[in-house]
Amino acid sequence: MSTLNPLHQIITAWVHNAFPSLRKTFRANLAQSRLNRLWRFLHHPALQNPWTLTAHLLPLLAPRVAQKGLLPLLVDWTHGEDGEHKVLVAALPLRGRALPLAFALHPLSPFPSQNRVEEAFLHRLGREVQALGYTPLFLLDRGFDRASLMRRLQEWGMGFLIRLRRNRGVETETGERFLLGERYPEVPEPQGLRARLVGSRGRGVEVGLWLFQGRREPWYLAFRDLKGGGLGLDRHRMRTGVSLGGWLWLVFLAMVVWVLLGAVLGGAEWWPQVVAYPERQSLFRLGWMALAQGPPRLRDEVARALRELLQGLLQRGGN
């Protein structure tokens, strides 16, 4: 972009002072023009397929997060501010931060079968992870407490750690049946056991249980024993599913770039000049502070690191 010379600056300032209404109109038109470009960009076909984002981010991030062949994935629902959409989001836990890499956007009306939506999403994401040579380990809250879902995840060769409801029916190996909340209203000492979760129509699923006392209530966790084997999304102003899908695509990509930038600059000796105790900060926060609050004399170093990072991402995408 060309830089205005002093004469242009003087004339522009004089026009704005002499004609306040023209100044207001100019600013309004400029803002509307920029907004129109943003809407066109968000409707780009490349931003309408969320799995394109996953296909590029998963190979890049999985090696950084996987442990002994297991890749943990946080999955949960969040609502759009427009009150007309829900988003099913999957994220990787990385140094205290949830890093989104997959999402599915659905309108609230008409809303499809939530069970089918969740199963289809987990199946596709799990297959993407398995194709890279890892075993997915889905970390799910009580809304996913269904024996049918756990049974399908087992059939697909995928792991899970799901928080159970208090009224969850359980059958022990000895045939004894009870509700978790009634048998274990409190859990003074953590304990684990094998059990069968009672499902609908008498169909259950064999799982491992881990029980421990939380701050306010007990936690009941069901897991699949592999034996070695929630997101600030409620502050947008999008009013259509197409725009919201493109916006989520960009937000998640930006979060990934910030985290990777924080990882690249994590060992820089100048961090104490920016923040006290940088070793206590998440990679996301380090990347954000480097871009937003870095000292002026260090901005060239940050910009160079960012350029190298983006070039590396483009090269990976091309391969």
Side-chain angles (χ1 to χ4, degrees), residues 3-4 27 34 68 98 109 111 124 159 161 178 192 197 202 222 239 254 262 270 301:
T3 303
L4 296 177
R27 287 185 173 178
R34 292 175 176 174
K68 298 181 179 180
S109 180
F111 190 74
R124 177 158 185 175
L161 181 65
F178 54 84
L197 301 185
R239 292 295 178 262
W270 46 262
E301 181 176 347

Side-chain angles (χ1 to χ4, degrees), residues 219-231:
W219 278 57
Y220 315 111
L221 301 178
F223 63 92
R224 180 190 176 197
D225 188 1
L226 297 170
K227 303 242 182 238
L231 290 167

Side-chain angles (χ1 to χ4, degrees), residues 6-303:
L7 180 58
H8 283 143
Q9 294 177 359
I10 294 173
I11 295 176
T12 301
W14 178 82
V15 170
H16 286 172
N17 291 329
F19 304 98
S21 59
L22 178 61
R23 178 182 181 182
K24 182 177 180 181
T25 302
F26 173 77
R27 287 185 173 178
N29 292 339
L30 180 60
Q32 185 62 46
S33 176
R34 292 175 176 174
L35 188 60
N36 290 339
R37 288 199 297 270
L38 174 61
W39 294 148
R40 288 195 297 269
F41 183 68
L42 293 179
H43 284 69
H44 192 281
L47 299 181
Q48 301 312 309
N49 182 7
W51 292 105
T52 303
L53 180 71
T54 305
H56 285 78
L57 293 182
L58 193 56
L60 180 68
L61 299 177
R64 300 172 180 265
V65 181
Q67 298 288 334
K68 298 181 179 180
L70 291 177
L71 186 67
L73 293 155
L74 302 162
V75 180
D76 206 355
W77 288 95
T78 186
H79 288 270
E81 187 189 45
D82 59 359
E84 298 180 358
H85 294 88
K86 288 182 67 176
V87 189
L88 185 58
V89 182
L92 290 171
L94 184 61
R95 284 185 57 175
R97 189 76 189 187
L99 193 59
L101 56 73
F103 70 94
L105 179 67
H106 294 280
L108 290 178
S109 180
F111 190 74
S113 168
Q114 181 165 324
N115 292 1
R116 293 181 182 178
V117 167
E118 292 170 353
E119 290 178 4
F121 181 82
L122 295 175
H123 180 265
R124 177 158 185 175
L125 179 56
R127 289 293 187 243
E128 295 275 354
V129 173
Q130 290 174 331
L132 296 176
Y134 301 101
T135 298
L137 177 61
F138 292 111
L139 310 178
L140 309 170
D141 206 356
R142 286 177 287 196
F144 296 83
D145 177 6
R146 301 193 305 275
S148 60
L149 175 60
M150 301 180 207
R151 189 167 52 249
R152 288 187 178 277
L153 291 174
Q154 288 185 349
E155 294 171 353
W156 298 334
M158 304 174 189
F160 57 82
L161 181 65
I162 302 178
R163 186 180 181 188
L164 303 178
R165 301 186 300 270
R166 294 180 60 88
N167 62 349
R168 158 55 64 189
V170 173
E171 182 179 349
T172 65
E173 294 178 320
T174 61
E176 182 184 7
R177 289 195 176 192
F178 54 84
L179 300 180
L180 283 173
E182 294 181 356
R183 173 61 61 87
Y184 299 102
E186 295 183 356
V187 186
E189 297 292 335
Q191 56 181 296
L193 63 148
R194 299 290 304 178
R196 179 176 181 269
L197 301 185
V198 180
S200 60
R201 302 177 183 177
R203 300 184 63 186
V205 58
E206 303 289 338
V207 298
L209 292 181
W210 178 248
L211 316 178
F212 65 95
Q213 185 66 36
R215 292 184 178 179
R216 298 182 178 179
E217 59 181 346
W219 278 57
Y220 315 111
L221 301 178
F223 63 92
R224 180 190 176 197
D225 188 1
L226 297 170
K227 303 242 182 238
L231 290 167
L233 301 179
D234 57 347
R235 294 296 181 264
H236 59 79
R237 297 292 177 181
M238 307 302 154
R239 292 295 178 262
T240 68
V242 175
S243 296
L244 181 55
W247 175 249
L248 294 174
W249 208 104
L250 294 177
V251 168
F252 293 166
L253 182 60
M255 293 178 69
V256 169
V257 170
W258 281 349
V259 169
L260 295 181
L261 180 62
V264 171
L265 299 174
E269 59 184 10
W270 46 262
W271 269 117
Q273 304 176 39
V274 182
V275 59
Y277 305 109
E279 67 279 359
R280 300 181 184 178
Q281 306 297 330
S282 68
L283 295 179
F284 177 89
R285 185 165 178 80
L286 290 179
W288 177 81
M289 287 189 295
L291 291 176
Q293 301 178 7
R297 63 183 179 279
L298 300 174
R299 287 175 183 170
D300 289 341
E301 181 176 347
V302 174

